[in-house]
Amino acid sequence: MARKEIQLIIKMNHLAGFTVCIMSGASRQLALFLCGCYVVALGVHATEPRVADHHEAEHYMAAVYEHQSILTPDPLAVMSRKQALQLMNQNLDIYEQQVMIAAQKGVQIIVFPEDGIHGFNFTRTSVYPFLDFMPSPRLVRWNPCLEPHRFTDTEVLQRLSCMAIKGDMFLVANLGTKQPCHSNDPGCPNDRRYQFNTNVVFSNNGTLVDRYRKHNLYFEAAFDTPVEVDHIIFDTPFAGKFGIFTCFDILFFDPAIRLLRDSEVKHVVYPTAWMNQLPLLAAIQIQRAFAIAFGINLLAANIHHSSLGMTGSGIHSPLKSFWHHDMEDSRGHLLIAQVAKNPLGLTGTETATDKMDPSHSKFLELLAGDPYCEKDAQEVHCDGATKGDMNAAPTFHSEMMYDNFTLVPVWGKEGYLRVCANGLCCYLLYRRPTLSNELYALGVFDGLHTVHGTYYVQACALVKCGGLGFDTCGQEITEATGRFEFHLWGNFSTSYIFPLLLTSGMTLETPDQFGWESDHSFLRKRGLSSGLVTAALYGRLYERD
């Protein structure tokens, strides 16, 4: 069907009212850490890096939108389908505006957040009017915009499909869906329907390409877990294969890790409604760490409700990120970035320059079992170490991320520390250009995390404490002044390690090196742009969940 015919159908479709209102006086200049960006405001920010024409063959244009969703005043109250659609259409109107802004910038794929259309905190009954019927894209080829009457209760899908056509881009969004089931199905709920937290993917011609039903639900009583895990990979003409999953899924083996066993999957789209939890699991932290760990691009769209600690979206590659984290502004935010089709990963092996670096040489000597080192429970003393290293640091315990970490204070301008718990030992070799009036600590945890989810964690973490007392280590802070040059490593018993590196003002940093050396996972960094908040190796032992 010709483009003009498609556009005519859209205009005639009463479900798709594509009205764009430009607000004057809303733009302002921004400075991002990687490139000059500017703001295009439609009641929101929109940032875009410079585009180099000669790179177009190796790159594609992507967008993620952090949406301040319009919520129902009482998610427990049951309303009619008409009332539910009225509320959802308000959010969809904003989605349309972002699609049109993105289209003007040549965006080829846009990602919207989890819960952005309907909201959250529903019961199974109160969410029902918000649910669209979802046929399986594997069984039915369907273009909701061009075939609006083929299935009932599909108004949201129709609008999303029309947006993809109007913007001439792939579109990823999250909504609630329903699927009837029969009494002879042993998993069928008593109300004879499944209700799923669902991501949908539309091609630029409006066809429903695929859908992913969230597997690892996070206290979502309104939704069911699919009987079988969806492992969804979809193909695009501009960048090849993409994987897809949702929010809490990022911490589990299925589907996230299993998807990436396909070496052709170099990109992941990731709708999320993530509540930040420092010092180890802020949204942009885990997003960037996932991209680095697997050497992929991650397009992450988070919901924006700062009063609930929900912000943090980004377009992340292993070597750089464009991100947004804002706990003060109530407006949504559109990120647009040029993304490499074949992302380059960090190297985990030393170069000739690295071998000449004294700190890296010392790191390698220590890993090799330097005979001049004497180890005790907290600290490692070596020939050539500073006098400060000879003072044994006291071990203490403090709660971090609801887990009981074992820690040692990081004192002095340089040093070499070790702290152990269960079978995991964490090591830190560090230098500080200047000392600040702040307490830092090296912590270790090796055990089952049981609050807000149950999963097994091994973690080595260098963190800034909330105050000068040991009991403040593990508190949530975002500002710091302490600069470090360091190697952080541990004898992890899992290969699934996520490198976390965050500095003052919620700034993401790129490690100089991240990899393995002598059966130890290590993270190395020099030249921080600002004070260190967190440097950590966050390991997951999926088989022990």
Side-chain angles (χ1 to χ4, degrees):
M1 181 174 290
R3 172 75 52 187
K4 289 183 179 179
E5 293 178 276
I6 293 175
Q7 290 176 344
L8 179 61
I9 291 174
I10 295 173
K11 290 177 181 178
M12 294 176 64
N13 190 332
H14 71 282
L15 295 168
F18 296 98
T19 303
V20 180
C21 301
I22 307 281
M23 294 178 61
S24 63
S27 61
R28 60 185 176 90
Q29 295 299 111
L30 287 182
L32 286 189
F33 73 110
L34 285 173
C35 65
C37 295
Y38 59 87
V39 175
V40 178
L42 206 75
V44 299
H45 305 299
T47 58
E48 179 193 8
R50 294 177 185 174
V51 179
D53 292 339
H54 64 282
H55 285 159
E56 287 182 357
E58 291 84 32
H59 296 78
Y60 66 96
M61 293 299 292
V64 300
Y65 180 58
E66 180 163 311
H67 177 48
Q68 166 108 4
S69 54
I70 300 167
L71 303 173
T72 176
D74 183 4
L76 303 182
V78 178
M79 61 176 62
S80 67
R81 173 68 172 174
K82 180 179 179 180
Q83 291 171 317
L85 285 172
Q86 287 174 342
L87 184 139
M88 290 190 289
N89 278 324
Q90 293 180 66
N91 289 307
L92 289 166
D93 288 343
I94 299 172
Y95 278 25
E96 287 180 4
Q97 294 173 358
Q98 306 315 309
V99 167
M100 298 316 300
I101 295 173
Q104 294 170 7
K105 307 303 176 185
V107 165
Q108 294 159 285
I109 184 168
I110 188 168
V111 183
F112 291 100
E114 180 186 23
D115 298 337
I117 297 172
H118 56 273
F120 39 77
N121 292 333
F122 293 98
T123 67
R124 183 174 183 84
T125 302
S126 66
V127 80
Y128 183 70
F130 292 84
L131 307 181
D132 267 33
F133 170 71
M134 169 61 73
S136 171
R138 302 292 176 92
L139 301 176
V140 177
R141 182 174 176 80
W142 179 41
N143 188 312
C145 185
L146 305 185
E147 304 171 274
H149 304 298
R150 187 170 178 183
F151 303 102
T152 59
D153 288 343
T154 58
E155 293 90 340
V156 174
L157 292 170
Q158 291 171 40
R159 288 202 65 179
L160 294 170
S161 171
C162 291
M163 285 183 218
I165 296 173
K166 185 69 174 180
D168 191 22
M169 67 185 68
F170 273 61
L171 184 149
V172 180
N174 174 271
L175 72 158
T177 64
K178 59 187 177 183
Q179 178 184 325
C181 56
H182 302 287
S183 56
N184 57 0
D185 177 354
C188 184
N190 293 333
D191 51 19
R192 297 293 179 261
R193 63 177 183 268
Y194 288 112
Q195 300 182 176
F196 296 118
N197 177 333
T198 306
N199 296 337
V200 288
V201 182
F202 291 96
S203 70
N204 62 326
N205 66 10
T207 299
L208 180 60
V209 175
D210 220 326
R211 60 97 174 92
Y212 166 73
R213 300 166 300 179
K214 187 177 180 182
H215 184 70
N216 298 286
L217 297 173
Y218 188 79
F219 303 100
E220 299 170 67
F223 295 116
D224 299 304
T225 301
V227 176
E228 295 183 358
V229 183
D230 291 339
H231 296 103
I232 303 301
I233 297 171
F234 63 93
D235 206 2
T236 67
F238 53 84
K241 292 184 177 180
F242 282 72
I244 184 170
F245 49 83
T246 310
C247 201
F248 203 37
D249 288 327
I250 203 169
L251 293 180
F252 297 90
F253 186 84
D254 270 320
I257 310 305
R258 196 180 300 276
L259 276 179
L260 296 173
R261 288 183 167 182
D262 185 335
S263 61
E264 294 185 9
V265 177
K266 300 182 185 300
H267 320 273
V268 170
V269 289
Y270 178 59
T272 184
W274 192 278
M275 290 179 286
N276 290 289
Q277 189 177 4
L278 289 162
L280 301 181
L281 286 180
I284 58 173
Q285 266 185 312
I286 191 63
Q287 293 164 14
R288 182 70 195 287
F290 194 91
I292 294 173
F294 290 101
I296 53 101
N297 296 318
L298 182 71
L299 314 183
N302 197 7
I303 204 80
H304 187 85
H305 289 285
S306 55
S307 63
L308 301 174
M310 302 171 87
T311 182
S313 303
I315 299 174
H316 307 277
S317 71
L319 297 181
K320 66 179 180 180
S321 287
F322 300 91
W323 76 90
H324 174 72
H325 177 102
D326 193 336
M327 289 291 289
E328 297 179 2
D329 198 328
S330 62
R331 296 177 293 177
H333 190 103
L334 181 67
L335 277 172
I336 300 174
Q338 189 183 62
V339 184
K341 295 179 181 179
N342 293 291
L344 297 175
L346 290 172
T347 176
T349 57
E350 72 275 10
T351 64
T353 302
D354 295 327
K355 290 179 179 179
M356 296 174 62
D357 175 35
S359 67
H360 198 64
S361 297
K362 187 172 182 179
F363 161 68
L364 295 174
E365 289 174 5
L366 294 171
L367 277 178
D370 186 348
Y372 298 102
C373 290
E374 176 186 352
K375 301 180 181 180
D376 61 32
Q378 295 91 29
E379 198 159 357
V380 187
H381 310 292
C382 305
D383 276 7
T386 64
K387 183 177 180 180
D389 283 325
M390 305 308 291
N391 299 320
T395 300
F396 64 95
H397 295 271
S398 188
E399 185 178 280
M400 187 187 308
M401 310 293 296
Y402 300 104
D403 296 320
N404 185 27
F405 272 68
T406 303
L407 304 103
V408 291
V410 179
W411 289 332
K413 291 190 68 172
E414 59 183 79
Y416 177 26
L417 300 170
R418 179 179 78 163
V419 62
C420 301
N422 293 336
L424 177 63
C425 286
C426 302
Y427 304 84
L428 177 68
L429 178 64
Y430 70 94
R431 293 189 63 184
R432 303 181 64 179
T434 58
L435 288 176
S436 60
N437 187 31
E438 297 166 307
L439 175 63
Y440 283 84
L442 173 66
V444 60
F445 179 76
D446 182 1
L448 191 66
H449 175 87
T450 58
V451 178
H452 300 157
T454 302
Y455 46 92
Y456 201 99
V457 174
Q458 285 188 329
C460 294
L462 169 61
V463 296
K464 183 203 166 185
C465 305
L468 297 180
F470 288 171
D471 61 341
T472 68
C473 297
Q475 292 180 357
E476 299 194 29
I477 61 102
T478 59
E479 303 298 327
T481 61
R483 305 288 185 102
F484 283 81
E485 297 177 358
F486 66 88
H487 287 74
L488 173 67
W489 70 99
N491 62 333
F492 290 86
S493 52
T494 176
S495 61
Y496 297 107
I497 311 294
F498 301 91
L500 310 174
L501 191 51
L502 190 70
T503 58
S504 191
M506 295 301 293
T507 302
L508 294 172
E509 298 270 354
T510 301
D512 293 336
Q513 283 182 271
F514 164 67
W516 290 86
E517 191 75 56
S518 302
D519 296 323
H520 288 71
S521 177
F522 79 97
L523 171 66
R524 176 191 183 198
K525 183 64 180 178
R526 294 178 296 177
L528 292 173
S529 65
S530 57
L532 182 67
V533 172
T534 301
L537 295 166
Y538 190 84
R540 283 284 287 112
L541 280 75
Y542 303 109
E543 68 277 10
R544 297 174 70 174
D545 285 354

